[in-house]
Amino acid sequence: MISLPRRLTAPEPGWSTETDVVIVGSGIAGLTTALHIARHSPLRITLVTKDILAAGSTPWAQGGIAAALGAGDSPEEHFADTIVAGAGVCDEAAVRVLVREGPAAVRELAQIGARFDRAGDGSLSLTREGGHHRNRIAHAGGDATGAEIERALVTRVLDATDVEVIEHALVLDLLRTDAGQIAGLTLHVMGEGARDGVGAVHARAVVLATGGIGQVYASSTNPSVSTGDGVAAALRAGAVVRDLEFVQFHPTVTWLGARSRGQQPLVSEAVRGEGAFLVDEAGTRFMQGVHELADLAPRDVVAKAIVRRMGEQDAENMWLDARAFGEEKWRVRFPTILASLRAHGIDPVRELIPVVPACHFASGGVRTDLSGETSLPGLFACGETACTGVHGANRLASNSLLEGLVFGHRIADAIVRRLGEPQAPPAPAAPAAPGSLLDDALRPRLQQLMSEHVGVLREAKGLAAAADGLADLAADGTDTTHGTHGAGGLPAPSTEPAPPTAPATEPAPATENWEATNLLTVASALVLAAQCREETRGSHWREDFPDRDDGSWRGHLNLTLDKSGSPLCTFERDDFGLNAPLKGGKR
Ligand SMILES: Cc1cc2nc3c(=O)[nH]c(=O)nc-3n(C[C@H](O)[C@H](O)[C@H](O)COP(=O)(O)OP(=O)(O)OC[C@H]3O[C@@H](n4cnc5c(N)ncnc54)[C@H](O)[C@@H]3O)c2cc1C
């Protein structure tokens, strides 16, 4: 059984500061929350982010942000599409909040300076993506929506005098009082002067907005900062994490060869929304007949169809045909994607685009209520780090920027109501004993295990191999499962060199090793959840349990760490709201 640290090994804080609210992360979720607290209260706000402000997923978002903004559209129709994509396990109350509060939140974003693309009459130009039955995706700069939203929010936050921004500040662990209330966090700042090295920020509320977990896999659309730090810190502090098995693989990520790893260039679904379609090795369209929406079916359906066809044809990738757009449409509508493809030697105006599914989005995360508060009093989670329940088993395209925006407002409201005026934060209790770090040299093995065995298609043998491999890495840095291949993983980087041998010395407290340890924590919890859910639902596909089983599995897997650092999984049934024991008990 794997034992994960309950606290990261790090030097004792050499400095400390106090504030009312500390927000971790500077994507749409963190920036929106900071901005709205600053607008509506005198509270002191500290926003910390581990790289520069614009380093997260938000600036990479291409397609846009979904909301019922068009003539004839309605929140009810957006609700219906979201629920269908979520495959029976969306939190309907959370979805209602999302679709009802979404249109006003997007309009407000435009008012504070985000320049969305507009039609000739000045109305928002709206496009379609997979799973949507209406044109309801607002976009900016053609395919540069996230970059424009980030620019607008960063400008406003830097103007807000009540928000102190600390860049290059990697959050390590959460602090709690003896009574369990959140009391701040520890962090490592690569700075100068008084705030350099490990320190502590004492606060009355903490908002985790650390984005996704994409770096858990060998290839992902997520940037390098997406190492699941917020989810791992929440687990270590005792919070409940939910729905981690539901990882969305984007169907059309540019295939750059078996050796390519890390962040891979995305070809937005909006390209298919504008008429591009998938073909196989023989040039045959294969999505027609698979789903009524064909190439615009929900992402899990398209990703599975691609992986299956790749298996049937023993192919490394499938192909996207967008040649009918012509040069002008490519240049005006998708300038960022066009430039990225051409930089990799692919000319989509004349050639087919090689594509393959890659890890894209974590539908699960730190469990929250409708105000964004987690199971720990005073700890909030927002954006991709959170599990509000809006995505269920599969996120509907372009609902994630919207989630960060809508719930960022709600968290701000809850914090303003709760904290009122500035006040001294509570004293933290003595922290847990620190545990061993994972050597970052082992990160490629961890990612390879996940891509081989816990990808689009999963089965018991591969999942067990992943769990064993992760436990080996945690125990002594070796991996005895090397060479064991699961039945349905993504094309794994099989050309990788042999796994590294055990590190000779204890890994030093350093950014790479803290991140690697966070990846191990998230990966271990994710594998456990994927093993436990013995059915196929949404983005979780079990080859050995190919059917959806509402009788046994309509509900959620809640994950926590026990005292010894082993992940625990319990099943919470949707219809009864009871904590039912898992089939086979806790693992
Ligand atoms: C290529 C791509 C295209 C996408 N396209 C779309 C789209 O068209 N529409 C859509 O709705 N969604 C899209 N998504 C998903 C969407 O972009 C993300 O879900 C969303 O931006 C997440 O926002 P966030 O604020 O939660 O996290 P992020 O924007 O990822 O921000 C996380 C922040 O936390 C910081 N951080 C992380 N760890 C720490 C730590 N330990 N200490 C301090 N700071 C930390 C990071 O540096 C970063 O600032 C796309 C994602 C990608 C990768």
Side-chain angles (χ1 to χ4, degrees):
M1 185 172 290
I2 195 164
S3 176
L4 300 159
R6 294 299 309 251
R7 175 159 73 99
L8 294 176
T9 298
E12 286 306 309
W15 57 273
S16 69
T17 186
E18 73 167 57
T19 187
D20 290 301
V21 189
V22 56
I23 296 168
V24 191
S26 53
I28 190 168
L31 294 170
T32 301
T33 310
L35 201 56
H36 280 269
I37 298 174
R39 282 174 128 194
H40 300 293
S41 83
L43 292 168
R44 298 162 299 167
I45 305 154
T46 304
L47 185 142
V48 299
T49 192
K50 79 171 164 186
D51 199 304
I52 57 168
L53 279 167
S57 287
T58 299
W60 291 94
Q62 298 175 341
I65 184 162
L69 293 155
D73 199 2
S74 66
E76 288 67 38
E77 287 179 68
H78 189 185
F79 176 87
D81 287 344
T82 303
I83 295 290
V84 168
V89 288
C90 287
D91 180 325
E92 295 195 1
V95 179
R96 240 170 243 121
V97 163
L98 182 82
V99 299
R100 284 185 184 158
E101 297 178 14
V106 174
R107 282 192 202 102
E108 193 187 308
L109 196 53
Q111 276 159 15
I112 65 163
R115 295 181 292 246
F116 288 104
D117 295 333
R118 293 189 180 265
D121 62 359
S123 63
L124 283 172
S125 167
L126 301 171
T127 190
R128 245 175 110 178
E129 290 189 292
H132 290 272
H133 284 81
R134 290 251 184 205
N135 285 12
R136 66 166 70 97
I137 319 293
H139 47 87
D143 57 1
T145 313
E148 174 56 15
I149 291 174
E150 181 82 12
R151 183 203 61 74
L153 288 171
V154 165
T155 305
R156 285 302 182 123
V157 165
L158 291 179
D159 282 349
T161 46
D162 294 344
V163 184
E164 181 193 21
V165 173
I166 311 179
E167 290 178 299
H168 305 289
L170 180 134
V171 167
L172 300 168
D173 273 304
L174 297 162
L175 299 170
R176 299 181 71 188
T177 64
D178 282 324
Q181 168 74 28
I182 280 294
L185 46 78
T186 57
L187 74 179
H188 178 261
V189 180
M190 304 246 298
E192 285 173 356
R195 289 192 191 156
D196 188 19
V198 174
V201 179
H202 300 284
R204 296 156 67 205
V206 172
V207 182
L208 293 172
T210 54
I213 63 166
Q215 295 302 320
V216 155
Y217 288 90
S219 65
S220 167
T221 60
N222 291 190
S224 60
V225 292
S226 303
T227 47
D229 298 0
V231 173
L235 278 169
R236 284 193 295 271
V240 174
V241 165
R242 167 178 275 202
D243 290 351
L244 267 196
E245 68 276 28
F246 298 124
V247 178
Q248 187 173 82
F249 288 78
H250 197 291
T252 55
V253 177
T254 315
W255 171 243
L256 299 176
R259 282 178 180 274
S260 188
R261 53 192 327 148
Q263 188 179 17
Q264 308 291 307
L266 176 69
V267 182
S268 166
E269 204 152 280
V271 172
R272 276 173 286 136
E274 297 282 340
F277 52 85
L278 288 155
V279 294
D280 65 13
E281 287 285 277
T284 307
R285 290 185 72 165
F286 57 90
M287 283 311 299
Q288 287 162 326
V290 172
H291 191 275
E292 48 139 353
L293 290 169
D295 291 272
L296 284 176
R299 287 183 180 169
D300 61 307
V301 176
V302 183
K304 279 166 209 156
I306 290 176
V307 171
R308 287 211 182 292
R309 190 55 69 107
M310 280 165 49
E312 285 158 20
Q313 300 192 331
D314 197 21
E316 287 188 319
N317 61 277
M318 291 285 110
W319 304 92
L320 187 64
D321 191 343
R323 292 173 295 183
F325 288 5
E327 174 94 25
E328 180 64 8
K329 180 158 179 172
W330 265 110
R331 272 199 306 105
V332 174
R333 185 63 185 85
F334 301 112
T336 316
I337 302 171
L338 178 64
S340 154
L341 289 170
R342 285 188 168 158
H344 288 100
I346 302 157
D347 182 1
V349 178
R350 275 167 273 281
E351 295 172 86
L352 299 178
I353 308 164
V355 291
V356 73
C359 168
H360 185 54
F361 182 79
S363 294
V366 189
R367 191 185 75 185
T368 71
D369 61 18
L370 294 181
S371 296
E373 191 160 14
T374 71
S375 56
L376 304 183
L379 179 66
F380 295 78
C382 192
E384 197 166 335
T385 304
C387 181
T388 58
V390 297
H391 305 302
N394 195 21
R395 173 190 68 139
L396 183 66
S398 286
N399 266 356
S400 41
L401 289 173
L402 189 69
E403 181 190 29
L405 192 64
V406 166
F407 284 89
H409 280 90
R410 291 196 144 233
I411 289 172
D413 289 346
I415 288 176
V416 169
R417 267 198 314 273
R418 173 97 49 93
L419 301 193
E421 297 292 313
Q423 242 179 57
S436 294
L437 299 176
L438 183 72
D439 194 307
D440 189 55
L442 300 168
R443 188 192 293 218
R445 284 295 306 130
L446 181 154
Q447 293 169 323
Q448 189 172 338
L449 281 168
M450 295 300 288
S451 284
E452 276 183 22
H453 302 301
V454 201
V456 177
L457 308 176
R458 304 162 175 181
E459 43 79 48
K461 190 164 156 245
L463 291 170
D468 291 348
L470 295 176
D472 288 346
L473 291 182
D476 58 10
T478 60
D479 170 18
T480 52
T481 65
H482 186 65
T484 315
H485 292 273
L490 283 172
S494 53
T495 47
E496 282 300 302
T501 50
T505 53
E506 189 73 10
T511 298
E512 302 72 33
N513 296 334
W514 287 321
E515 283 186 345
T517 308
N518 286 335
L519 288 173
L520 179 67
T521 301
V522 173
S524 304
L526 195 166
V527 171
L528 177 63
Q531 284 181 297
C532 290
R533 187 174 283 280
E534 293 180 332
E535 66 155 354
T536 286
R537 181 185 296 273
S539 54
H540 173 69
W541 185 281
R542 289 283 302 251
E543 290 287 69
D544 44 354
F545 296 95
D547 299 318
R548 175 166 147 177
D549 177 2
D550 280 345
S552 303
W553 290 108
R554 186 159 186 176
H556 305 273
L557 291 171
N558 291 332
L559 294 147
T560 49
L561 285 189
D562 71 12
K563 283 203 164 51
S564 66
S566 291
L568 284 179
C569 197
T570 51
F571 181 60
E572 189 175 324
R573 205 177 282 283
D574 256 355
D575 36 357
F576 306 120
L578 299 173
N579 275 327
L582 277 173
K583 281 181 177 172
K586 285 181 179 178
R587 292 173 223 204

